[in-house]
């Protein structure tokens, strides 16, 4: 059981809330309180749009404990429209349609369950954007 | 006394003191579809037929909480209301992910409505969504809040081989209730009709419900749906001809068609909201999902009748009038039809895996 850790990360995981640097305007995800661009404090919360593109990806057939029920699944580096690169699982997508540069959007999904009697952990994943929106 | 006289209108219908309406609505239907022919193939060797074409099936990473979040985000996009102004997040479902721990707090956290909000889960079989809807209507109608969010969502389970397996579907719908001046559809009145009728139930720790087969029809579905609808129409001095569209709870395609006919509605009035053949029975989201599809195509001035049904048993009938705000709001989020058309058919094997019916020994 690791409840405090999951609880602390809820805000960023459920809705992709990061931070913005008031000095240089850089958008940070995950939130880290110090701007990596200009080294100034950055505490201001920032709601990301959830839109981005696949920067790179890898498909897993042997999953780590807790993720077995999703295999095969793809983990992607997603370049958010606002800049940061985020590592996340792709969902609702067929393996053969995934491409570098594919427009994706954030959805909140079940990441895993801590057994049948444990916590259900929710967080961001990305799915292919509908064609008309891309 | 003035307030009591105004709110307790004749024949038991509900009408808030302050005019209330829907300021934002959102739907969500998961991507996967199980064709009825697949259930038929596995359990009757293809000889039984299926009441519907296909039903929506949630993916392995979806549940009532995640589906509620997407519908709520769509409702927020249409309403353009700041989530911190939402003073109630109420989720009606019979498939909450936890037995103890609210789905509503997960949804409230995800959409940014915490911490100054009411949050609770509602349970009344397939009527839980409209129960939450009416409570939200009352909260806004009393002046206690300007905005309240009511959700109906389900990932319904049918026992393998049972008649329910053909239709037990999944979807979610979210409605932000607010002042009538801001509404895309105002609420004229509602009426509830409830009795103790054990047509369908699930005991604690049981995965699948029991149902009364034919007992679910006449003394259950039809009695409650027709009584709630007739009382509401009578109190409003209205009849079927006054409505552009009507939507009823949809456990199968036949029941709502029969109910509509009994009330004098024509097939063209129920066509848009009748989604059971392509989504299945979305339980707490069933009639409400039909309402979202109707709003997607409604014209200002249209009147819409919604009648839900929940086993156990009861019906909520709600009469709405669409305003001219509908035209600017509807395309701020995906239409219900777009979710229905975004489909990936799966076979029975994948269904068994996704719905965790596969036990490894």
């Amino acid at each position: 059981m690791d409840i405090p850790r999951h609880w602390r990360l809820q805000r960023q995981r459920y809705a992709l809330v990061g931070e913005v640097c008031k000095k240089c305007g850089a958008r940070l995800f995950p939130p880290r309180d110090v701007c990596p661009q200009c080294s100034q404090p950055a505490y201001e919360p920032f709601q990301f749009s959830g839109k981005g593109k696949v920067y790179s990806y890898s498909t897993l057939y042997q999953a780590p404990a807790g993720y077995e029920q999703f295999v095969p699944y793809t983990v992607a580096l997603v370049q958010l429209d606002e800049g940061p690169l985020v590592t996340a699982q792709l969902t609702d997508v067929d393996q053969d349609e995934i491409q570098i540069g594919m427009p994706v959007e954030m959805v909140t999904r079940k990441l895993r369950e801590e057994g049948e009697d444990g916590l259900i952990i929710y967080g961001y994943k990305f799915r292919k954007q509908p064609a008309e929106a891309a | 006394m003035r307030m009591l006289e105004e709110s307790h209108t004749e024949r038991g219908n509900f009408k808030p003191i302050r005019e209330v309406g829907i300021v934002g609505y959102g739907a969500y239907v998961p991507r996967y579809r199980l064709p009825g022919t697949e259930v038929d193939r596995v359990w009757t060797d293809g000889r039984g037929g299926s009441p519907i074409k296909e039903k929506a099936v949630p993916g392995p990473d979806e549940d009532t909480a995640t589906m509620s979040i997407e519908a709520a985000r769509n409702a927020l996009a249409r309403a353009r209301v700041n989530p911190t102004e939402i003073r109630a997040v109420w989720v009606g479902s019979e498939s909450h992910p936890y037995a103890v721990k609210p789905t509503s707090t997960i949804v409230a956290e995800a959409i940014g409505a915490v911490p100054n909000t009411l949050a609770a889960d509602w349970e009344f079989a397939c009527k839980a969504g409209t129960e939450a809807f009416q409570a939200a209507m009352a909260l806004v109608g009393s002046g206690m809040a300007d905005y309240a969010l009511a959700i109906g969502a389900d990932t319904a389970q049918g026992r393998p081989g049972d008649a329910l397996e053909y239709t037990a579907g999944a979807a979610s719908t979210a409605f932000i209730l607010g002042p009538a001046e801001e509404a895309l559809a105002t609420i004229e009145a509602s009426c509830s009709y409830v009795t103790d009728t054990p047509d369908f139930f699930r005991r604690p720790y049981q995965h699948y419900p029991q149902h009364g087969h034919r007992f679910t029809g006449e003394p259950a579905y039809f009695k409650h749906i027709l009584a709630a609808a007739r009382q509401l129409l009578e109190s409003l001095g209205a009849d079927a001809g006054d409505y552009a569209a009507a939507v009823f709870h949809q456990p199968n395609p036949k029941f709502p068609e029969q109910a509509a006919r009994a009330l004098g509605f024509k097939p063209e009035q129920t066509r848009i909201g009748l989604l059971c053949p392509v989504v299945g029975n979305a339980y707490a989201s069933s009639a409400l999902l039909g309402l979202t599809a109707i709003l997607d195509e409604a014209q200002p001035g249209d009147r819409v009748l919604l009648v839900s049904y929940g086993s156990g048993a009861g019906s909520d009938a709600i009469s709405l009038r669409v305003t001219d705000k509908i035209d600017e709001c509807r395309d701020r989020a995906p239409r219900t039809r777009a979710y229905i058309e975004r489909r990936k058919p799966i076979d029975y094997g994948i269904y068994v895996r996704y719905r965790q019916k596969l036990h490894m020994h």
Side-chain angles (χ1 to χ4, degrees), chain A residues 14 69 71 91 120 122 127, chain B residues 61 63 70 73 98 353:
Chain A
Y14 285 7
Q69 63 161 314
V71 289
T91 188
I120 304 170
Y122 297 96
R127 74 173 169 211
Chain B
D61 61 358
D63 62 18
E70 181 151 349
R73 285 181 177 146
Y98 289 93
R353 185 185 154 184

Side-chain angles (χ1 to χ4, degrees), chain B:
Chain B
M1 276 317 288
R2 188 191 66 83
M3 285 164 56
L4 274 178
E5 281 163 18
E6 283 191 9
S7 57
H8 285 199
T9 46
E10 77 278 28
R11 298 188 191 282
N13 73 358
F14 298 118
K15 194 168 179 359
I17 300 160
R18 178 197 195 191
E19 295 281 316
V20 178
I22 298 167
V23 300
Y25 68 95
Y28 176 71
V29 180
R31 177 181 186 235
Y32 303 99
R33 301 285 179 276
L34 180 69
T37 49
E38 274 296 289
V39 183
D40 191 34
R41 174 178 69 85
V42 171
W43 291 104
T44 73
D45 201 18
R47 280 178 283 197
S50 168
I52 63 168
K53 176 176 175 267
E54 57 190 14
K55 68 172 185 175
V57 177
D61 61 358
E62 295 189 280
D63 62 18
T64 290
T66 66
M67 295 186 355
S68 297
I69 290 167
E70 181 151 349
R73 285 181 177 146
N74 286 336
L76 276 169
R78 285 201 173 97
R80 295 207 173 149
V81 166
N82 186 334
T84 57
E85 292 183 60
I86 290 174
R87 304 303 304 281
V89 177
W90 286 329
V91 184
S93 180
E94 62 128 72
S95 45
H96 291 289
Y98 289 93
V100 178
K101 197 220 161 296
T103 306
S104 52
T105 56
I106 303 168
V107 176
E109 188 81 44
I111 63 167
V114 292
N116 293 120
T117 182
L118 293 163
D121 295 353
W122 296 70
E123 197 281 322
F124 192 143
C126 301
K127 188 172 97 71
T130 52
E131 192 79 27
F133 185 102
Q134 290 197 94
M137 181 179 141
L139 193 75
V140 176
S142 72
M144 275 177 71
D146 279 338
Y147 304 105
L149 172 62
I151 296 173
D154 260 307
T155 58
Q157 293 273 17
R159 184 185 300 279
D162 187 90
L164 277 181
E165 193 173 39
Y166 290 93
T167 53
S172 60
T173 42
F175 294 86
I176 298 172
L177 281 292
E181 325 61 278
E182 299 172 30
L184 54 88
T186 57
I187 296 161
E188 295 185 307
S190 68
C191 178
S192 289
Y193 188 94
V194 170
T195 69
D196 180 1
T197 305
D199 58 324
F200 176 111
F201 47 82
R202 177 163 64 85
R203 298 280 302 275
Y205 309 109
Q206 295 298 306
H207 197 52
Y208 298 110
Q210 295 290 328
H211 55 92
H213 299 278
R214 290 191 178 197
F215 186 70
T216 59
E218 218 42 67
Y221 180 91
F222 291 104
K223 173 181 164 183
H224 295 83
I225 288 251
L226 296 178
R230 282 178 178 141
Q231 284 189 16
L232 180 65
L233 291 175
E234 195 178 330
S235 75
L236 290 170
D239 61 33
D242 297 324
Y243 286 84
V247 60
F248 303 90
H249 176 59
Q250 299 162 25
N252 54 51
K254 269 190 202 160
F255 279 20
E257 282 168 1
Q258 284 174 27
R261 214 163 32 239
L263 292 165
F265 287 96
K266 298 192 171 80
E268 59 264 30
Q269 289 168 290
T270 54
R271 180 184 53 83
I272 298 172
L274 188 63
L275 303 177
C276 179
V278 287
V279 172
N281 178 3
Y283 284 51
S285 192
S286 173
L288 291 172
L289 188 73
L291 176 61
T292 65
I294 289 168
L295 292 174
D296 281 345
E297 298 187 25
Q299 299 300 315
D302 282 356
R303 275 172 106 179
V304 180
L305 178 70
L306 171 136
V307 193
S308 69
Y309 172 74
S311 291
S315 280
D316 297 327
I318 302 169
S319 180
L320 300 143
R321 192 183 288 273
V322 178
T323 75
D324 53 14
K325 291 211 167 53
I326 189 73
D327 290 330
E328 59 188 276
C329 297
R330 75 176 115 217
D331 285 321
R332 291 175 183 164
R335 293 189 185 201
T336 302
R337 187 57 64 182
Y339 279 113
I340 292 171
E341 286 165 5
R342 182 200 68 142
R343 55 185 281 285
K344 182 177 169 66
I346 55 174
D347 64 15
Y348 197 85
I350 294 288
Y351 167 72
V352 162
R353 185 185 154 184
Y354 280 3
R355 299 304 287 141
Q356 297 182 318
K357 294 174 192 297
L358 188 64
H359 291 280
M360 307 208 196
H361 298 284

